[in-house]
Amino acid sequence: LAKTTQPISMDSYEGQEVNITCSHNNIATNDYITWYQQFPSQGPRFIIQGYKTKVTNEVASLFIPADRKSSTLSLPRVSLSDTAVYYCLVHNNAGNMLTFGGGTRLMVKP
Amino acid sequence: DVKVTQSSRYLVKRTGEKVFLECVQDMDHENMFWYRQDPGLGLRLIYFSYDVKMKEKGDIPEGYSVSREKKERFSLILESASTNQTSMYLCASSTTRGYNEQFFGPGTRLTVL
């Protein structure tokens, strides 16, 4: 299973774009990358998933370079409510062989 | 609305007790997972199951066992609870198809005295 590494914490201000990078050097050919968001006293919830290049949805973008050894979650124009822990997850296509990163605690300041 | 429920939000047990944590999902998902979450250590996978009666060890299975007799229910068992098993326990489920995103329950905060 691919080991994942993320920064422990990041600070930002409202309205800024935030980029969180996850390193997964040993990612396998068939592995996918998924990001989750977790608020205090809640379980994580899905944000975005990708395999290669760029994926965008209504809340975030995910950038994956050609070698797939890292991925970057991009949150456009963050608000105070985006303060949370963000987890990177590498997993097989059945979603049951997986490794969570240690999580990045994002603090958005006014 | 999809749902993963866990039997208790808070649980206090004594060292040596047998502890059952129950998880139920209503989405007909094939995969179910048990994690523990500790400050600074993120989410660590204890066990997962990809089908009824099937189970696979995760990263930290020692001291735990699991049971999946029905598709919707996945139980985590602490045969003899110890103080180092004090933690937040999170259950999740996912399908093997499409995005296979994991849906998490609210968590059980277990304290072993």
Side-chain angles (χ1 to χ4, degrees), chain B residues 3 10-11 17 24 41 49 69 74 81-82 85 87 95 99 103 105-107 111:
Chain B
K3 210 161 197 180
Y10 301 93
L11 207 53
E17 280 193 80
V24 178
L41 296 177
S49 168
E69 297 297 317
F74 193 35
S82 63
Q85 292 178 311
S87 186
T95 179
Y99 281 120
F103 292 87
T111 301

Side-chain angles (χ1 to χ4, degrees), chain A residues 7-68:
Chain A
I8 293 173
S9 64
M10 295 180 71
D11 288 345
S12 183
Y13 290 92
E14 282 191 291
Q16 288 188 333
E17 178 184 77
V18 170
N19 295 307
I20 306 174
T21 297
C22 178
S23 172
H24 29 78
N25 290 320
N26 297 323
I27 189 168
T29 303
N30 295 329
D31 285 346
Y32 286 74
I33 301 147
T34 302
W35 285 78
Y36 288 82
Q37 176 191 57
Q38 185 179 26
F39 296 112
S41 302
Q42 295 184 23
R45 64 177 188 177
F46 175 91
I47 302 174
I48 197 166
Q49 183 183 96
Y51 180 78
K52 62 180 179 181
T53 63
K54 178 183 174 182
V55 179
T56 297
N57 62 20
E58 62 275 9
V59 298
S61 294
L62 179 59
F63 299 91
I64 304 168
D67 66 5
R68 304 200 327 122

